[in-house]
Amino acid sequence: MTLTAETGAPAVGIPHRRIRRGLPTAVWVVVLSAVLLVSIVFAVTFGPAEIRPTEVWGSILGHLGFSPTALGGEALSPLRDGIVWELRMPRVLTAAAVGAGLALSGTVMQAITRNPLADPYLLGLSSGASLGAVAVILLGLGVLLPVAAFGGAVAALVGTLLLAGAIGSLTPTRTVLAGLAVSSFFGALTSLIIFWSATGDTYREILSWLLGSLSGARWPAVAIGLGALLIVGIPLMLTGRTLDAFAFGDNAASALGVGVNSTRWTLLIATALLTGAMVSVSGSIGFVGLILPHAVRLVVGQRNRVVLPLSALAGAIFLLWIDTGARTLFDPRELPVGILTAVVGAPVFALLLLRGRRVS
């Protein structure tokens, strides 16, 4: 990993970088998928009520129509099955889906803008989604929260790109600066709305949502998160070769047959859709989309067709365990998950910067 001249941050893309060749991509996918599945089972066992992994496995088999005792599972009482299936499993699966979606969005945005600091939070998407979500919460229209979060994310993205374009050509530095301005503006609007309108329980609900929380995740949240990954995330994972072409610059990408403007807008809108869906079920969670792509590149190199699926899997594992820590470390109190991602993510990102500087 090298450093950009403009930002001093880790660079993104193929040119001037060492392309590491280690384990084949398929092996990495199998290994991380196995780690994710084992993590899901064990994360469900953490909590005030002690649940054994065999009970988790038995509950899964039972709800899939098999005998709970098949393949080593264990039958549960209705109460313990409710704890596993209705409370913990939806939260764990939502955390995994949100982590995968945010890490994937960060990877795409860093590649498409050729900016190592780009992520949904920095470019204003999370702030825009937060503004839309807070507005519908205060209006008592929670059923429209996913739509409002997506609309806010798209509005923030359009604002960022229009502002960056008005300054001059869309360079990485201008895009980040425009994103910071738009993010601050949307953040200020959100704070003004909360200050003016929120009271009592509504205030606490909004604050919890702005800090990031998966405490209310149930099966509808799982459906939104996994549905967004299937409909938007998987097609994004297949754009690795196109993103690799962007790493050489717009002219080179055009010479390689890529429709630069149409492709860039299509990918950015898809990223906004994915981010809006994830933020609508988890609140605003920073650092996942920023640090996971860099951590994966340190291990497997710069090729986006490799980095994309592995970032999604690594993001799922990361946020799953961060959320498990948020709900168990200070039991019976529960931390907003966004606080722990910042506590863990900020030092990790600083280490990545220092490592990149030494390598350069």
Side-chain angles (χ1 to χ4, degrees):
M1 185 167 59
T2 60
L3 304 179
T4 61
E6 289 180 315
T7 64
V12 174
I14 289 180
H16 311 301
R17 254 70 77 192
R18 295 182 302 168
I19 299 178
R20 300 185 179 188
R21 298 188 184 281
L23 294 175
T25 305
V27 175
W28 278 112
V29 170
V30 170
V31 170
L32 289 181
S33 297
V35 172
L36 176 60
L37 291 176
V38 172
S39 296
I40 289 172
V41 172
F42 276 91
V44 174
T45 66
F46 286 85
E50 293 186 4
I51 303 289
R52 292 183 292 276
T54 52
E55 291 180 305
V56 178
W57 186 234
S59 178
I60 294 172
L61 289 175
H63 285 279
L64 292 179
F66 300 98
S67 170
T69 57
L71 302 175
E74 188 174 343
L76 284 80
S77 67
L79 176 60
R80 294 174 71 79
D81 182 65
I83 293 173
V84 172
W85 194 253
E86 300 298 333
L87 294 179
R88 295 186 188 175
M89 185 63 74
R91 178 166 182 165
V92 168
L93 292 179
T94 303
V98 170
L102 293 180
L104 187 59
S105 296
T107 306
V108 173
M109 296 192 74
Q110 288 169 12
I112 204 72
T113 63
R114 287 183 289 127
N115 192 317
L117 296 178
D119 82 331
Y121 190 83
L122 192 62
L123 293 190
L125 269 67
S126 293
S127 296
S130 298
L131 177 60
V134 168
V136 296
I137 289 175
L138 287 173
L139 292 173
L141 302 173
V143 68
L144 296 177
L145 199 150
V147 177
F150 169 62
V154 171
L157 176 65
V158 171
T160 295
L161 295 180
L162 289 178
L163 180 57
I167 300 172
S169 59
L170 281 178
T171 64
T173 300
R174 286 174 181 150
T175 305
V176 168
L177 293 175
L180 286 173
V182 170
S183 180
S184 299
F185 179 70
F186 276 78
L189 287 180
T190 303
S191 299
L192 177 62
I193 292 175
I194 294 171
F195 173 78
W196 201 261
S197 306
T199 57
D201 292 340
T202 304
Y203 183 85
R204 284 191 291 272
E205 179 185 358
I206 291 174
L207 181 62
S208 175
W209 195 89
L210 291 176
L211 293 175
S213 175
L214 293 158
S215 60
R218 298 294 181 266
W219 286 107
V222 178
I224 292 174
L226 293 182
L229 275 181
L230 288 174
I231 297 172
V232 182
I234 289 180
L236 282 176
M237 289 185 202
L238 303 178
T239 62
R241 293 184 184 277
T242 301
L243 295 178
D244 285 341
F246 272 98
F248 293 92
D250 289 358
N251 292 335
S254 180
L256 292 171
V258 177
V260 172
N261 288 330
S262 60
T263 301
R264 176 179 281 121
W265 276 101
T266 300
L267 291 175
L268 288 176
I269 290 174
T271 303
L273 176 60
L274 187 60
T275 301
M278 297 308 168
V279 173
S280 71
V281 298
S282 68
S284 183
I285 299 176
F287 281 99
V288 178
L290 180 62
I291 64 171
L292 267 300
H294 289 302
V296 170
R297 289 189 190 97
L298 277 176
V299 177
V300 301
Q302 302 292 329
R303 292 171 297 168
N304 285 300
R305 58 184 179 275
V306 179
V307 174
L308 284 168
L310 299 189
S311 291
L313 287 168
I317 297 169
F318 174 78
L319 193 58
L320 184 159
W321 283 112
I322 287 290
D323 180 59
T324 301
R327 65 182 168 86
T328 58
L329 285 177
F330 300 98
D331 185 55
R333 300 192 67 175
E334 180 175 323
L335 285 179
V337 68
I339 293 177
L340 272 189
T341 59
V343 168
V344 175
V348 169
F349 189 64
L351 289 175
L352 292 175
L353 289 173
L354 294 173
R355 180 185 172 90
R357 189 174 294 278
R358 285 198 298 270
V359 170
S360 68

